[in-house]
Amino acid sequence: MSDLRDLYQEVILDHSRSPRNFGHHEPSNREAKGNNPLCGDKFTIYALVEDGIVKDVSFDGRGCAISTASASLMTELMKGKTEEEARAMFESFHELVTADKDEPLDEALDKLNVLAGVRGYPMRVKCATLAWHTMKAALDDIDDTVVTE
Amino acid sequence: MPDTASRPNDAARFDVAAVRDQFPILKEPSHGKPLAFLDSAASAQKPQAVIDAVNETYAHRYANVHRGVYELSERTSAAYEAVRGKTKSLINAADDDEIVFTSGTTDGINLVAQSWGRANLGPGDEVLITEMEHHSNIVPWQMLRDEKGIVLKVAPFDEDGVLIMEEFERLLSERTRLVAVAQVSNALGTILPLDKIIPMAHAAGALVLVDGAQGIPHLPTDVRAMGADFYAFSGHKLYGPTGTGALYGRGELLAELPPWKGGGDMILSVTFEKTEYAAPPHKFEAGTPNIAGTIGLGAAIDWFAALDHEGLAAHEADLLAYGTERLLEVPGVRLIGTAPDKAAVISFVLDYAHPHDVGTILDQQGVAVRTGHHCAQPVMDHFDVAATVRASFGAYSSRDDIDALIAALDEVRELFG
């Protein structure tokens, strides 16, 4: 059980049970769909971007605990960031869950460190990154459905 | 095995321990626990006899087939061709030449779509499938629809996962040229009533292609008694190597079909002006085939045929009944697929945990299940779930595996419940 507690930390369980910013917040002016064909998880990310600032982010859809918690945490952290900061956050998160090195993210992104456990579960990395890839597509204003597999 | 005493007599006579002993992988621990492999419907594990047949081919008996006049090639060709006879006997085809080697069921279905379908179907012609088909029996027909303008009709199933025969009958018409249907649903375990479906399809003037991928490991299969015009199956679900399989086609049908893939080994003569094709089945087997794999398939068929099949059927029925009973004791479980006629497959969801999370937690306890949409997304849509957890059984599965699954589900409940 101890290994599993690393993966399913209380914060993750909490965000998966009660996802923040769940449901389409209006107004929004960016939107992208994400799909993990391996497991059938699907999210839509809605964002309001004005003057280069991500003023609001919300999501709906369905997924596992990891993908839902990751989406929920992401929406909290993205709000108020500049587009540039949001993109940098995507890169940092991606590195956190995929890189070999075992370095936690700094204080500003500390909340995301609970997801570092997925590194030990290669099949689950796609769950953790689904919302993030979708958010990036929303920022890029890409209409196609994002696919992680 | 605390429950052995309660196993029905006909199931108890099936010596699971002796079967398990032949599977090296079942002796390897998983996350430090005994492996409870419950994903045979995705791919079955391999007995030593199959592993040996493949290894020995490469180590001692390997050369290309149908080409060399030297002894080694002749010996390999004979071993390879002998598998046609074994396959014929397995499914009771009339002739060795009705057996086309393929890379698996998907390859076989695509062969029918691309060869028979493209030559015989045009705008308005209908292909009738069921709502519970695997993607491999949906997508090839959609490709043909987009290319040829055929119409794809889908017969629905009910809330138990049983094909609604009235709907099937209603969708069948003189425009129906082919009924393409699974013998057993991979996601639900439902055994399709081919004894009704095939005569009805024939009466309407349609041919029938049976996807036997999930059927052949569990059900006695006689393509002539069944009346199938085409029957496709995969070697890897029948305890054989991956990348092997066969398509059965009735002799008269195969004789009329154009080739699908062009290349070596499927011709009589080639000039730049004209090529004369070989007769079936070689006409459909372009290129160097999966030689060692197919010889391994022969070993799998021999191994499978030597099992006590009545005992095996009783054993699998016991696993299905025992597994269903134990799962229904788990709080928050919903079974997906509750047809009265089921093969040894149990799909379920938990109302407090997503199948992917369940799969990860079970894996830590040495329990290997399939989680996801099982390449049957329309089935998931029908039940309004994104995915299910699927436990599926093979000849080597035991009640211990089910007990391990149930115990591991307690861990899921501890975290998520």
Side-chain angles (χ1 to χ4, degrees):
Chain A
M1 275 310 266
S2 61
D3 290 352
L4 283 168
R5 286 281 178 200
D6 285 346
L7 181 63
Y8 292 108
Q9 296 189 32
E10 206 43 57
V11 176
I12 291 181
L13 295 175
D14 172 44
H15 276 262
S16 75
R17 286 191 194 108
S18 325
R20 321 299 196 262
N21 302 306
F22 190 78
H24 185 177
H25 291 183
E26 299 199 60
S28 64
N29 56 10
R30 305 281 177 89
E31 182 177 326
K33 291 184 190 311
N35 176 19
N36 183 344
L38 193 74
C39 55
D41 287 356
K42 285 178 186 157
F43 287 124
T44 303
I45 302 280
Y46 309 92
L48 176 65
V49 182
E50 284 175 341
D51 308 324
I53 308 280
V54 180
K55 295 203 167 154
D56 196 8
V57 192
S58 59
F59 76 109
D60 60 21
R62 60 184 173 190
C64 62
I66 302 294
S67 60
T68 305
S70 183
S72 173
L73 285 160
M74 180 191 78
T75 59
E76 285 195 321
L77 286 168
M78 286 275 177
K79 268 192 213 183
K81 298 286 186 296
T82 66
E83 282 197 65
E84 204 177 322
E85 286 167 338
R87 285 173 207 280
M89 199 192 299
F90 169 85
E91 297 300 333
S92 300
F93 179 73
H94 206 261
E95 199 163 289
L96 174 77
V97 294
T98 58
D100 287 336
K101 61 178 185 194
D102 197 3
E103 270 175 39
L105 296 175
D106 61 20
E107 206 172 322
L109 301 178
D110 184 46
K111 271 184 148 182
L112 296 174
N113 286 320
V114 293
L115 284 157
V118 300
R119 266 190 302 220
Y121 302 82
M123 295 296 286
R124 307 302 304 277
V125 170
K126 286 123 189 168
C127 306
T129 56
L130 177 60
W132 293 78
H133 282 286
T134 311
M135 179 70 201
K136 188 162 178 280
L139 291 175
D140 293 344
D141 236 347
I142 293 171
D143 285 339
D144 276 354
T145 296
V146 176
V147 171
T148 60
E149 66 175 319
Chain B
M1 290 239 280
D3 297 297
T4 306
S6 60
R7 284 172 81 204
N9 284 341
D10 45 356
R13 84 168 194 217
F14 188 79
D15 190 349
V16 190
V19 171
R20 290 180 73 85
D21 200 41
Q22 298 174 61
F23 288 77
I25 207 164
L26 298 180
K27 293 165 190 150
E28 312 243 330
S30 171
H31 295 287
K33 308 230 165 47
L35 170 64
F37 185 76
L38 292 171
D39 197 19
S40 296
S43 199
Q45 296 297 345
K46 318 305 173 198
Q48 191 65 50
V50 169
I51 298 166
D52 287 347
V54 174
N55 286 345
E56 280 165 23
T57 299
Y58 282 128
H60 305 296
R61 282 190 277 277
Y62 182 76
N64 210 334
V65 291
H66 309 143
R67 285 166 177 81
V69 294
Y70 49 95
E71 196 219 348
L72 196 55
S73 174
E74 284 174 1
R75 228 165 44 186
T76 312
S77 298
Y80 176 82
E81 284 300 324
V83 181
R84 253 184 250 282
K86 294 175 196 286
T87 308
K88 179 196 81 168
S89 303
L90 174 73
I91 61 173
N92 196 33
D95 196 287
D96 286 10
D97 292 343
E98 293 177 323
I99 306 299
V100 180
F101 289 134
T102 63
S103 67
T105 308
T106 299
D107 195 33
I109 295 172
N110 277 277
L111 195 163
V112 175
Q114 293 298 315
S115 170
W116 178 83
R118 289 178 78 193
N120 290 283
L121 299 182
D125 283 337
E126 295 179 4
V127 170
L128 176 56
I129 63 174
T130 79
E131 192 187 1
M132 67 183 98
E133 298 309 311
H134 187 280
H135 294 167
S136 63
N137 200 23
I138 301 173
V139 182
W141 310 114
Q142 290 175 326
M143 290 164 65
L144 208 57
R145 177 185 66 191
D146 296 344
E147 185 189 331
K148 291 282 184 179
I150 66 163
V151 177
L152 185 57
K153 297 254 170 152
V154 184
F157 59 78
D158 67 15
E159 286 314 292
D160 287 318
V162 175
L163 186 67
I164 304 170
M165 289 307 289
E166 297 75 26
E167 288 294 314
F168 175 80
E169 191 167 16
R170 194 180 61 75
L171 290 165
L172 203 55
S173 76
E174 72 271 7
R175 311 218 66 165
T176 312
R177 302 290 308 280
L178 181 77
V179 171
V181 61
Q183 189 176 12
V184 169
S185 153
N186 75 309
L188 300 171
T190 306
I191 298 174
L192 277 291
L194 295 180
D195 58 334
K196 297 191 182 69
I197 289 171
I198 295 178
M200 282 165 71
H202 284 163
L207 294 179
V208 179
L209 161 67
V210 177
D211 166 357
Q214 299 293 339
I216 204 161
H218 302 295
L219 302 174
T221 298
D222 179 330
V223 290
R224 282 188 289 167
M226 182 191 284
D229 299 292
F230 297 105
Y231 181 92
F233 75 92
S234 299
H236 74 99
K237 295 194 204 282
L238 192 67
Y239 311 98
T242 52
T244 67
L247 173 73
Y248 158 82
R250 267 199 298 117
E252 314 89 90
L253 278 171
L254 286 187
E256 297 295 318
L257 294 193
W260 173 29
K261 298 171 185 167
D265 216 26
M266 52 80 78
I267 52 89
L268 286 177
S269 68
V270 175
T271 66
F272 284 113
E273 287 70 39
K274 185 175 169 29
T275 291
E276 287 187 60
Y277 301 119
H282 299 288
K283 184 183 191 172
F284 305 105
E285 296 176 357
T288 294
N290 184 351
I291 298 166
T294 301
I295 291 170
L297 171 62
I301 291 171
D302 286 344
W303 179 86
F304 183 70
L307 294 175
D308 162 13
H309 282 262
E310 276 180 37
L312 175 62
H315 171 60
E316 290 189 351
D318 175 64
L319 293 174
L320 179 63
Y322 180 71
T324 303
E325 181 191 317
R326 292 296 313 273
L327 271 171
L328 286 173
E329 292 164 6
V330 175
V333 154
R334 174 186 169 205
L335 297 184
I336 303 291
T338 45
D341 279 335
K342 266 183 76 168
V345 171
I346 309 177
S347 261
F348 64 94
V349 291
L350 295 173
D351 60 16
Y352 44 82
H354 186 283
H356 255 70
D357 299 312
V358 176
T360 293
I361 296 164
L362 296 188
D363 176 53
Q364 295 294 310
Q365 308 300 317
V367 178
V369 291
R370 174 80 190 269
T371 56
H373 53 61
H374 317 293
C375 296
Q377 282 182 336
V379 173
M380 302 298 111
D381 292 343
H382 182 112
F383 289 102
D384 194 27
V385 294
T388 74
V389 183
R390 183 186 68 187
S392 58
F393 310 109
Y396 40 69
S397 302
S398 71
R399 284 189 171 206
D400 288 352
D401 296 332
I402 293 166
D403 293 339
L405 166 68
I406 301 298
L409 286 172
D410 285 344
E411 307 281 332
V412 177
R413 205 160 59 251
E414 199 177 307
L415 265 174
F416 285 93

